[in-house]
Amino acid sequence: MKLILLGAPGAGKGTVAKLLTALDGSVQISTGDILRGAVQAKSELGLEAEGYMTRGDLVPDSLIMGIMEKRLQEPDCAKGFLLDGFPRTIPQAEELTQLLTRLDIKLDMVVEIDVPRDILLDRLCTRRTCENPKCQSIYNITSNPPKVVGICDKCGARIVQREDETEMAITHRLETYNEKTAPLVGFYREKGLLVSVPATSSDDVIKAIKAKLNL
Ligand code: ADP
Ligand code: ZN
């Protein structure tokens, strides 16, 4: 399947993407994971992106388009992909449309995961992430804690609060979403690609996607 997952920070895009990869071998492409990996590796891309990310701002469109143009041409994308965190602005969406046409790729649909703001805030404040850039597993100190406090179940690295998960940066990320990313809902609705799922559980989202794709 070839999907875009739209939704505010904390809506569960990453969790849904991981569940979907298990269904048919499509790959998850998370621009946030790619960028955090680059920041930890202190690559040129990472050094450029770091300041924006810590503040909860979007990194410039040109950086993201460079990453995605390469990524979508890697062989593992042929089976299908789940775009998690991209596109995030109207210019990114417009460039993606052109890129997909050029690569002769057709999207199945764009799924908007719609979660109430109070739930988003609560989730983001209690979210913890494995600091191993190759793992980046996600936990929640109340609803999904690791077996050993502070240690990743999968790889044994420390789990930490992301630098952009302070209350100030979280509020800013939600505002940025409403201002820059929410307009994509209308953009894709006009193209007839949008499926909106009001959901508080990732399982509900999976069910809705399966039903739409007849899986
Ligand atoms: P979340 O969805 O929880 O906000 P992500 O892991 O998707 O987190 O992204 C983390 C940060 O990476 C964003 O706040 C932003 O700075 C940067 N980022 C990720 N994807 C994009 C994108 N498509 N365009 C611009 N910035 C991005
Ligand atoms: Zn880990």
Side-chain angles (χ1 to χ4, degrees):
M1 61 184 100
K2 298 186 170 95
L3 301 187
I4 293 176
L5 299 170
L6 269 183
K13 299 184 295 292
T15 308
V16 166
K18 288 203 173 70
L19 292 168
L20 291 174
T21 58
L23 281 183
D24 75 345
S26 300
V27 287
Q28 175 188 12
I29 304 179
S30 158
T31 40
D33 284 353
I34 295 172
L35 291 168
R36 276 185 294 278
V39 168
Q40 295 208 11
K42 298 195 176 357
S43 69
E44 205 175 309
L45 168 69
L47 294 175
E48 238 187 299
E50 187 167 18
Y52 297 99
M53 293 176 71
T54 309
R55 286 189 299 274
D57 282 328
L58 295 180
V59 310
D61 291 337
S62 57
L63 274 189
I64 294 290
M65 291 315 302
I67 297 174
M68 289 306 298
E69 178 153 11
K70 280 197 215 112
R71 185 65 188 89
L72 283 170
Q73 294 182 70
E74 283 172 27
D76 62 346
C77 291
K79 259 194 159 183
F81 50 77
L82 310 153
L83 301 185
D84 158 15
F86 170 85
R88 243 181 166 94
T89 62
I90 292 282
Q92 287 180 19
E94 283 169 343
E95 285 197 50
L96 175 64
T97 304
Q98 292 174 11
L99 177 62
L100 292 176
T101 307
R102 232 183 313 137
L103 299 176
D104 199 20
I105 296 173
K106 198 170 164 293
L107 287 176
D108 295 308
M109 62 188 180
V110 177
V111 181
E112 182 204 12
I113 310 174
D114 192 9
V115 176
R117 184 186 158 91
D118 53 332
I119 296 183
L120 294 173
L121 272 174
D122 184 58
R123 278 190 194 162
L124 291 168
C125 293
T126 51
R127 181 154 89 174
R128 298 291 182 273
T129 308
C130 170
E131 72 172 354
N132 170 2
K134 295 218 171 67
C135 177
Q136 302 201 29
S137 291
I138 296 197
Y139 298 90
N140 185 293
I141 48 175
T142 48
S143 64
N144 175 31
K147 293 200 183 77
V148 180
V149 177
I151 302 294
C152 177
D153 293 345
K154 292 204 188 101
C155 78
R158 283 193 318 158
I159 61 165
V160 295
Q161 187 158 23
R162 270 165 45 179
E163 249 183 87
D164 63 355
E165 284 181 349
T166 60
E167 210 175 312
M168 214 172 81
I170 288 170
T171 310
H172 186 53
R173 277 160 61 208
L174 290 174
E175 277 166 12
T176 305
Y177 180 81
N178 288 333
E179 189 186 320
K180 304 255 172 69
T181 311
L184 297 186
V185 171
F187 179 91
Y188 285 115
R189 187 180 290 125
E190 268 177 35
K191 291 187 183 294
L193 284 170
L194 190 79
V195 175
S196 192
V197 189
T200 48
S201 99
S202 300
D203 287 335
D204 292 347
V205 182
I206 300 293
K207 271 188 213 140
I209 293 173
K210 276 179 145 176
K212 281 276 169 193
L213 294 175
N214 295 319
L215 289 175

